[in-house]
């Protein structure tokens, strides 16, 4: 049985970020400037994250360490982070041809926009996503659901669905389908290692690689557009 305090905490963790993103999108807080949009998005993530931290400490009366099942020792931490990053890359490599076979587009359109950002800004975006999203969707949500239900299947399933659907705002349908792959991998990996800090590092490193490659994706897109324009003029 989930009590009111737990229900509020889960609502904050699982729908807080998507709800804020939807509100800012509907009332026009975000404009046409991608950098401004991104700052609003990242500020919203940190706001929800800090609100959850305050909720844990002052409402639940628990330490922040309670949003993680355990803390790995340094050697195990490094091994988990390295293994997690490799696992995400492998899952992407396996899933990509399957998505292409069924005509599910990639995230290149979204990623090319990040190519205009400075490297520190892109790394900041990666760190923001890794820390805030893992703390809410995996650390807090899974740990509290495990306490309430005793079922890793229920806890993981709810977390996975919420994490995936949380990207509906701001991403197209094909991108959300593709995001389901790393969402599933990180959910299962968290259930395995139960260290939210390790998952933060895995998520941030994975995003950082993608965002740092965004510049080359943008250049490739511009090159293709240039070639198309030249061919059309001939």
């Amino acid at each position: 049985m989930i009590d009111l305090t737990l229900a509020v905490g889960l609502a904050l963790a699982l729908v807080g970020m998507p709800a804020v993103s939807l509100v800012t999108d509907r009332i026009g807080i975000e404009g046409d400037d991608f950098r401004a949009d991104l700052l609003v998005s990242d500020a919203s993530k940190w706001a929800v994250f800090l609100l959850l931290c305050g909720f844990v400490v002052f409402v639940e009366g628990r330490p922040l360490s309670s949003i993680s099942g355990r803390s790995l020792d340094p050697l195990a931490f490094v091994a988990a982070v390295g293994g997690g990053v490799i696992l995400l890359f492998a899952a992407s490599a396996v899933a990509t041809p399957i998505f292409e076979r069924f005509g599910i587009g990639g995230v290149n359109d979204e990623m090319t926009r990040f190519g205009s950002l400075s490297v520190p800004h892109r790394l900041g975006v990666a760190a923001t996503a890794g820390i805030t999203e893992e703390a809410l969707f995996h650390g807090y949500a899974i740990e509290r659901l495990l306490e309430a239900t005793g079922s890793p299947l229920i806890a993981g399933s709810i977390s996975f669905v919420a994490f995936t659907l949380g990207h509906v705002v701001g991403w197209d349908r094909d991108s959300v389908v593709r995001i389901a792959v790393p969402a599933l991998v990180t959910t299962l990996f968290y259930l395995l290692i139960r260290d939210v800090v390790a998952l933060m590092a895995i998520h941030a490193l994975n995003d950082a690689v993608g965002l740092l490659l965004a510049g080359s994706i943008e250049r490739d897109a511009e090159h293709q557009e240039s070639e198309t324009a030249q061919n059309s003029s001939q």
Side-chain angles (χ1 to χ4, degrees):
M1 184 69 178
I2 297 179
D3 61 24
L4 180 59
T5 299
L6 179 55
V8 172
L10 288 173
L12 180 60
L14 296 175
V15 303
M17 285 184 184
V20 170
S21 296
L22 183 60
V23 169
T24 56
D25 181 66
R26 294 299 184 190
I27 66 178
I29 290 178
E30 297 186 13
D32 295 328
D33 186 337
F34 177 63
R35 288 181 177 81
D37 295 350
L38 198 56
L39 287 174
V40 171
S41 174
D42 284 354
S44 299
K45 289 180 179 181
W46 282 110
V48 176
F49 168 74
L50 292 174
L51 184 59
L52 180 71
C53 289
F55 182 85
V56 170
V57 173
F58 298 109
V59 178
E60 292 185 338
R62 298 189 183 196
L64 290 179
S65 59
S66 68
I67 67 173
S68 185
R70 61 175 172 171
S71 179
L72 296 172
D73 63 68
L75 184 59
F77 180 89
V78 172
V81 172
V85 171
I86 292 172
L87 188 59
L88 281 174
F89 289 162
S92 177
V94 171
T96 296
I98 298 175
F99 286 136
E100 292 176 350
R101 173 68 179 80
F102 288 96
I104 299 173
V107 296
N108 284 3
D109 289 343
E110 287 79 7
M111 293 301 293
T112 53
R113 296 182 296 174
F114 289 94
S116 64
L117 304 177
S118 67
V119 170
H121 194 172
R122 277 180 267 176
L123 293 177
V125 170
T128 292
I131 294 171
T132 61
E133 292 179 10
E134 292 303 326
L136 272 67
F137 289 104
H138 289 143
Y140 181 89
I142 288 181
E143 290 305 322
R144 296 302 185 268
L145 286 167
L146 282 173
E147 289 180 8
T149 68
S151 171
L153 178 61
I154 293 174
S157 297
I158 293 175
S159 171
F160 163 69
V161 171
F163 186 94
T164 302
L165 294 182
H167 289 81
V168 169
V169 180
W171 297 81
D172 62 36
R173 183 182 61 184
D174 285 358
S175 296
V176 173
V177 173
R178 286 188 175 246
I179 286 170
V181 173
L184 179 60
V185 171
T186 52
T187 298
L188 293 174
F189 205 65
Y190 181 79
L191 288 170
L192 176 65
I193 67 172
R194 301 280 296 280
D195 186 329
V196 75
V197 179
L199 260 291
M200 290 176 178
I202 292 167
H203 187 152
L205 286 171
N206 182 70
D207 283 9
V209 171
L211 292 175
L212 290 174
L213 291 174
S216 62
I217 294 174
E218 182 181 38
R219 288 190 295 272
D220 289 344
E222 290 175 350
H223 180 65
Q224 290 177 1
E225 290 177 359
S226 176
E227 286 187 343
T228 300
Q230 290 177 359
N231 292 334
S232 299
S233 63
Q234 291 177 354

